Amino acid sequence: QVQLVESGGGLVQAGGSLRLSCVASGRTFSSYAMGWFRQAPGKEREFVTAISWSAISVYYADSVKGRFTASRDNGKNTVYLQMNSLKPEDTAVYYCAASLSGTFNIATMMSLGSYDYWGQGTQVTVSS
């Protein structure tokens, strides 16, 4: 079993930055990919970014491309989401998730069903 805990959310003005962290604990495993999703009130959970285990491959949703950066430190069992130039439409609960599928392509990693473990979420609120 793997537990994921997000942190770093908060309230920020438009144009500001936040850095989210997701720490994995429990059973150590290899060959996993990590994803970030977000869900705003009244909306479906949407894909934000996905990063491979080696961090060689990263995918971003068009809505965040150029503003958000995913990274990971496997030695610390932690993935990060650096969010810059934040906009009010970025307001949402942000979730990290882990996939054990062994497949890393955009279609797979955009799908909620591709992930085996989910964090509890952290709230990000961007004021205008």
Side-chain angles (χ1 to χ4, degrees):
Q1 190 74 26
V2 175
Q3 294 82 46
L4 305 175
V5 179
E6 302 101 329
S7 63
L11 175 64
V12 64
Q13 294 183 3
S17 298
L18 285 173
R19 191 190 195 196
L20 306 184
S21 299
C22 175
V23 179
S25 62
R27 185 177 66 185
T28 301
F29 58 93
S30 60
S31 301
Y32 65 92
M34 298 293 298
W36 287 95
F37 291 76
R38 66 187 183 186
Q39 188 166 21
K43 299 180 66 177
E44 296 183 346
R45 191 168 299 187
E46 67 172 345
F47 170 77
V48 176
T49 184
I51 183 169
S52 65
W53 181 87
S54 65
I56 293 175
S57 298
V58 184
Y59 296 128
Y60 295 98
D62 289 341
S63 59
V64 306
K65 198 171 300 180
R67 300 187 297 118
F68 291 10
T69 303
S71 61
R72 65 193 301 166
D73 185 339
N74 290 340
K76 297 181 179 180
N77 295 319
T78 303
V79 297
Y80 305 95
L81 182 63
Q82 179 67 46
M83 306 185 295
N84 298 326
S85 302
L86 283 162
K87 305 174 181 180
E89 50 263 45
D90 295 318
T91 296
V93 176
Y94 283 71
Y95 300 88
C96 68
S99 174
L100 305 178
S101 71
T103 300
F104 193 84
N105 58 64
I106 183 62
T108 298
M109 302 315 298
M110 287 181 63
S111 175
L112 295 172
S114 298
Y115 295 85
D116 302 281
Y117 303 100
W118 291 84
Q120 83 290 344
T122 185
Q123 177 71 49
V124 172
T125 302
V126 184
S127 64
S128 59

